[in-house]
Amino acid sequence: MTIAAAEIKSCCASAYASPAARFLLGDRLHPGGAALTSVLAEALAVGPGKLVVDVASGSGASALQLARETGCDVIGVDLSPESVEAATLAAADQGVRVRFVVGDAEALPLADASVDGVLCECALCIFPDKAAAAREIARVLRSGARVALSDMTAERERLPAELTSLAAWVACVADARPLPEIANLLSDAGLHVERVEAQDEMLAALLDRVAARLSVARMTGSMSVAGAVDQGEQLVVAARAALDDGALGYGIVVARKP
Ligand SMILES: C[S@@+](CC[C@H](N)C(=O)[O-])C[C@H]1O[C@@H](n2cnc3c(N)ncnc32)[C@H](O)[C@@H]1O
């Protein structure tokens, strides 16, 4: 199936800013939640006086956590103006000084060699041009700085048809890549890969939580978009089968700019 890049980007940006995404996922729009964000924050090895960019910052929860846990300055970049606005409000509410800006991961609004770390969680899988996003990450990093990334992983040729739709793309599945391919994207962009780890159990836990929220939605009639609960349940069942089959997973990659 060929879907235009612009359509994919616009669907992904609006889907994750929607009340349905917040209802199903909370403010952590990735497997592993705050605990996995802490693992990535530690891998970045940054502290006060350093600047980190959270690429595809979503609700802003990870950027705020990173600022609190490490004391570094953080800027969040996301394609969705609604998400950037919500994240800016969350930062003001929590009294944490993090700036959020609208921008595309494939053309980051940051100068060359201007940041001491890049965080990117569960997002490379939905960027249509992953090589461009990897090059952008490498471009903005200072020499010696790291990117810590977590992402959905998949062997696309083994995914069933229902996991290759636009909805499955938005759900981070249809264009996810195997963990070694994600590492190769970063090394092809000039980064030195230091760590590659599967975290498939994090995806299993997320699917269980989403299935439970969908049951609540079915009982209470929330998520009023026609067919949304049915479609969500079908995606979760297919994703769980693909995970059990080893065709789908989650993982982390840490790489350093030489
Ligand atoms: C699965 S969510 C992950 C959000 C956040 N990183 C987290 O883990 O909570 C994907 C995010 O990517 C953003 N996004 C999609 N395409 C993008 C692009 N080309 N550039 C920047 N952000 C993008 C969406 O708006 C959404 O907030």
Side-chain angles (χ1 to χ4, degrees), residues 8-17 25 27-31 37 54-62 77-81 83 103-108 119-128 150 170-172 250:
I8 290 164
K9 286 185 181 181
S10 129
C11 283
C12 290
S14 57
Y16 284 103
L25 297 165
D27 64 356
R28 305 290 179 157
L29 306 173
H30 60 263
T37 300
D54 181 4
V55 174
S57 46
S59 70
S62 294
V77 175
D78 199 281
L79 197 59
S80 158
S83 292
D104 190 334
E106 295 171 14
L108 287 172
L119 176 72
C120 183
E121 298 177 293
C122 201
L124 190 71
C125 53
I126 58 180
F127 303 152
S150 70
V170 173
C172 297
Y250 202 72

Side-chain angles (χ1 to χ4, degrees), residues 56-251:
S57 46
S59 70
S62 294
L64 296 174
Q65 178 184 345
L66 188 63
R68 274 195 307 264
E69 284 183 2
T70 69
C72 68
D73 296 322
V74 184
I75 178 165
V77 175
D78 199 281
L79 197 59
S80 158
E82 294 81 10
S83 292
V84 165
E85 194 184 338
T88 303
L89 287 175
D93 268 2
Q94 295 174 34
V96 183
R97 278 195 1 172
V98 173
R99 199 159 64 90
F100 293 95
V101 298
V102 176
D104 190 334
E106 295 171 14
L108 287 172
L110 296 165
D112 295 359
S114 58
V115 302
D116 305 291
V118 172
L119 176 72
C120 183
E121 298 177 293
C122 201
L124 190 71
C125 53
I126 58 180
F127 303 152
D129 190 343
K130 295 175 194 349
R135 283 193 300 271
E136 280 296 272
I137 288 171
R139 179 183 68 76
V140 302
L141 280 172
R142 291 199 173 103
S143 176
R146 292 184 173 83
V147 52
L149 175 154
S150 70
D151 209 6
M152 202 73 102
T153 62
E155 301 199 12
R156 285 177 302 156
E157 63 288 352
R158 292 176 57 204
L159 294 178
E162 60 266 48
L163 292 183
T164 61
S165 62
L166 176 57
W169 192 311
V170 173
C172 297
V173 174
D175 201 43
R177 304 301 168 92
L179 207 41
E181 192 177 325
I182 298 172
N184 283 342
L185 280 163
L186 296 178
S187 54
D188 287 350
L191 302 178
H192 173 65
V193 175
E194 296 180 323
R195 184 169 163 188
V196 179
E197 262 174 42
Q199 298 277 353
D200 294 349
E201 66 287 356
M202 305 283 178
L203 178 57
L206 180 90
L207 290 173
D208 287 347
R209 275 203 310 282
V210 171
R213 298 300 284 166
L214 284 165
S215 298
V216 171
R218 184 173 289 291
M219 283 185 297
T220 59
S222 42
M223 287 183 61
S224 54
V225 181
V229 173
D230 290 344
Q231 191 180 31
E233 286 178 341
Q234 282 158 16
L235 275 176
V236 168
V237 168
R240 165 60 82 172
L243 176 64
D244 291 345
D245 194 34
L248 198 62
Y250 202 72

